[in-house]
Amino acid sequence: MKPFIGSWLCFFVAGNICFANPIHDVSRLETVEVNHIAHVKDVNDMKSFIKVAIKDNSKISIAGARHSQGGHIYYPGGLVLDMTPFNRTLFFDRKKKILTIESGATWEYVQNYLNDFDLAVKVMQASNIFTVGGSLSVNAHGRDPHFGSVIDSVRGFRLLMADGSIKDVSRTNKNKELFDMAIGGFGLFGIILDVDLDVTTNDVYEKKTQIIDWKEYPKYFKDNVQGNTELGLHFAWPSVSPYSFMEEVLIADYKITEQREEDTFDITEESLIPFNRFFLWLSRVTSWGKGLRWFLQKHLIGYRGVISSRNNAMRPEVKFLDYSSTKDTDILQEYFFPIEAYEEFISQLKAILVEEKVNVLSMTLRYVPKATAPFLRYAADTDAFSIVLYINQGLSAEEVAKAQFWTERIVDLALSVKGNYYLAYQRYPTKEQIRKAYPQIDKFFAQKKRFDPNEIFYSKFYEHYK
């Protein structure tokens, strides 16, 4: 590949370029030298970069909050487009509950904007630090059991293609094929410019919690959560305490209420973030720290934010993956499995985690309804649960090899129950495993080549698995 030599053009069109920069994602497991990091603010910048990439036979990767951890946001010697300055509100229809926002805006910005109009986000991750475009690129899902992944809240978007053209893409008619490819497409089909989002009412919830035995969760979900229109949000935390590891589940239900407090609709910052950060650190380094943190979660969590608006209930309780160390790092993994396979999957997952001594800091159970889109979908052929694992692992080559080994074991387990795993995280699964989990992936790569024949949009993930 030729080096990226369009320096002067890049300087003039953007005025904010970093040369020969090391870049990594939030996991810090891999550092890559890229030629340029461009903080883009308008479409003309992006078009100019595409022209230079074509001329120099270079590659473009797209980054937002940099929380995709599978090599999606960079390629050695290439150009990284930092989309975070591209974050304006373009259109808002309060009556129809439609917001058009540039893709570099964070969900926190969206929440703050909508809050003034008594509206809220439909689907986003458990944290609001991610960009809208990043969430579309990984087709994120969240804690509302009535909605699936973020694709369900998207009406359409504008996509800057590899030839410099801009296509209107919508769910129902315009370039529908690209709608299904670019959402969950990890930035390989073009640059998502701005997005038409369906938003919803900023309901008020009463939060209630309880502890149940782990085997009771599917029945609890069916009887109390699935189809319950009085419930706004729901999640469940399996225990990470060494004294009850995965034997107990903490349920959190957010039920719609008419109760109001004086500051209910004021956007609030979580006051216990320093407290939570300390106990998360304690969980990394000691088993008794995990036990103490679980005890506090069981006995205190129900007393925080009992009455809250949707916007506040969907804000983070910790600074997400906010950890820096020269020896270790925090990572995420997520696995999907059919509801009927819950007991088999969870019991065997527990065995692997214990046997491999995986340092699990937190777990979350979520509901993932059956889906027919996007093309590269993780949803099972039937309604499923997912489990999100918040893990601490070492940075050494030996520790990375260990993590790859037990990850492959868990992926095999998920596949054995007709489940799946999330592609937004490390490239630990093998090329054979990804094709068993996503049998459509080679067609996905073929379509990528069709829309981007020169492979302008590129990444370490794409190079590794294609």
Side-chain angles (χ1 to χ4, degrees):
M1 183 192 306
K2 295 179 181 179
F4 197 97
I5 59 176
S7 304
W8 285 107
L9 173 59
C10 292
F11 178 80
F12 284 123
V13 298
N16 195 2
I17 301 295
C18 305
F19 299 94
N21 269 269
I23 186 173
H24 56 72
D25 59 50
V26 69
S27 73
R28 299 178 289 113
L29 284 169
E30 178 180 57
T31 299
V32 167
E33 290 282 344
V34 297
N35 281 1
H36 305 287
I37 301 174
H39 305 279
V40 296
K41 293 184 178 179
D42 61 54
V43 177
N44 287 332
D45 287 357
M46 301 177 217
K47 287 184 175 182
S48 295
F49 292 134
I50 289 174
K51 288 180 181 178
V52 172
I54 293 172
K55 177 178 178 293
D56 294 343
N57 189 29
S58 190
K59 304 299 181 185
I60 293 176
S61 303
I62 306 164
R66 304 187 187 182
H67 276 248
S68 295
Q69 301 168 30
H72 302 286
I73 64 168
Y74 45 64
Y75 185 74
L79 167 68
V80 174
L81 298 185
D82 179 349
M83 299 295 292
T84 54
F86 192 68
N87 56 19
R88 296 173 301 163
T89 299
L90 301 181
F91 173 79
F92 177 57
D93 189 323
R94 183 177 183 179
K95 185 176 180 181
K96 293 182 178 179
K97 300 178 183 175
I98 302 172
L99 174 70
T100 302
I101 190 91
E102 287 180 335
S103 60
T106 65
W107 291 106
E108 180 180 22
Y109 175 88
V110 175
Q111 286 181 316
N112 291 340
Y113 181 89
L114 293 175
N115 197 68
D116 291 337
F117 303 98
D118 301 320
L119 295 172
V121 174
K122 272 189 175 183
V123 182
M124 63 176 232
Q125 296 99 312
S127 181
N128 60 6
I129 64 173
F130 309 112
T131 62
V132 172
S135 294
L136 264 67
S137 293
V138 301
N139 192 32
H141 66 105
R143 293 176 171 179
D144 191 323
H146 305 296
F147 302 113
S149 56
V150 70
I151 194 173
D152 294 335
S153 66
V154 177
R155 289 192 171 213
F157 53 90
R158 264 56 55 196
L159 189 67
L160 179 57
M161 307 296 291
D163 62 2
S165 65
I166 296 175
K167 292 189 180 295
D168 286 323
V169 181
S170 77
R171 171 188 302 278
T172 55
N173 45 37
K174 294 181 180 178
N175 298 300
K176 169 96 170 44
E177 187 177 24
L178 277 170
F179 186 91
D180 289 339
M181 289 290 174
I183 297 182
F186 298 97
L188 294 173
F189 285 82
I191 305 169
I192 296 174
L193 298 176
D194 51 79
V195 185
D196 304 323
L197 292 171
D198 284 324
V199 298
T200 190
T201 306
N202 189 22
D203 291 327
V204 178
Y205 304 131
E206 180 180 8
K207 180 181 179 180
K208 295 186 177 181
T209 63
Q210 61 179 297
I211 298 290
I212 64 173
D213 182 87
W214 75 278
K215 290 184 179 181
E216 297 175 359
Y217 183 67
K219 185 177 187 307
Y220 179 91
F221 184 86
K222 180 180 179 181
D223 294 344
N224 299 279
V225 179
Q226 195 167 19
N228 184 353
T229 57
E230 297 179 359
L231 197 67
L233 301 173
H234 165 84
F235 64 89
W237 286 343
S239 169
V240 296
S241 167
Y243 314 111
S244 58
F245 186 65
M246 299 182 74
E247 295 294 324
E248 298 178 313
V249 175
L250 173 61
I251 302 292
D253 289 330
Y254 292 77
K255 297 184 178 180
I256 298 175
T257 180
E258 296 300 320
Q259 297 183 62
R260 300 291 186 273
E261 296 176 353
E262 184 177 350
D263 59 350
T264 294
F265 293 103
D266 294 342
I267 289 288
T268 60
E269 295 298 330
E270 174 54 59
S271 61
L272 295 179
I273 282 178
F275 174 87
N276 291 334
R277 183 187 291 122
F278 170 76
F279 282 100
L280 191 61
W281 170 81
L282 202 61
S283 296
R284 290 188 188 97
V285 297
T286 66
S287 293
W288 66 264
K290 291 182 177 66
L292 176 58
R293 182 161 155 259
W294 179 248
F295 174 84
L296 294 173
Q297 286 175 321
K298 285 171 63 174
H299 296 284
L300 295 181
I301 194 170
Y303 297 98
R304 294 191 292 110
V306 173
I307 302 297
S308 62
S309 68
R310 182 180 178 92
N311 279 325
N312 282 323
M314 292 175 71
R315 294 174 79 82
E317 295 167 340
V318 297
K319 292 291 186 182
F320 203 62
L321 295 176
D322 181 22
Y323 179 61
S324 179
S325 167
T326 59
K327 296 181 179 180
D328 58 344
T329 185
D330 292 347
I331 66 169
L332 290 174
Q333 294 189 354
E334 184 169 8
Y335 300 93
F336 308 89
F337 51 95
I339 291 177
E340 59 270 20
Y342 170 87
E343 195 165 327
E344 178 184 359
F345 181 84
I346 293 297
S347 62
Q348 293 190 46
L349 174 63
K350 176 183 176 180
I352 293 173
L353 296 175
V354 171
E355 182 180 341
E356 300 293 343
K357 297 181 175 61
V358 181
N359 191 8
V360 183
L361 305 181
S362 182
M363 305 183 197
T364 307
L365 285 167
R366 297 182 186 172
Y367 169 61
V368 183
K370 178 181 178 180
T372 57
F375 185 84
L376 199 62
R377 55 190 174 276
Y378 48 76
D381 292 333
T382 183
D383 288 350
F385 289 139
S386 78
I387 187 164
V388 182
L389 305 179
Y390 197 131
I391 296 166
N392 178 261
Q393 73 157 85
L395 289 171
S396 69
E398 180 183 4
E399 291 300 314
V400 169
K402 287 180 181 178
Q404 180 164 356
F405 177 75
W406 53 251
T407 297
E408 290 177 11
R409 289 190 64 189
I410 301 175
V411 170
D412 279 341
L413 169 61
L415 295 175
S416 73
V417 298
K418 298 182 180 180
N420 213 328
Y421 72 97
Y422 201 16
L423 295 177
Y425 302 129
Q426 286 71 29
R427 300 188 305 278
Y428 288 162
T430 67
K431 295 177 182 179
E432 292 74 24
Q433 285 179 320
I434 198 175
R435 282 165 173 79
K436 289 180 181 178
Y438 293 88
Q440 73 275 45
I441 197 165
D442 287 318
K443 290 183 180 179
F444 172 83
F445 289 148
Q447 290 286 56
K448 185 268 189 301
K449 283 274 289 182
R450 172 189 161 204
F451 286 104
D452 180 12
N454 295 318
E455 298 181 299
I456 296 298
F457 299 110
Y458 215 80
S459 68
K460 288 275 285 184
F461 169 86
Y462 178 57
E463 180 188 57
H464 180 76
Y465 284 115
K466 71 168 185 171

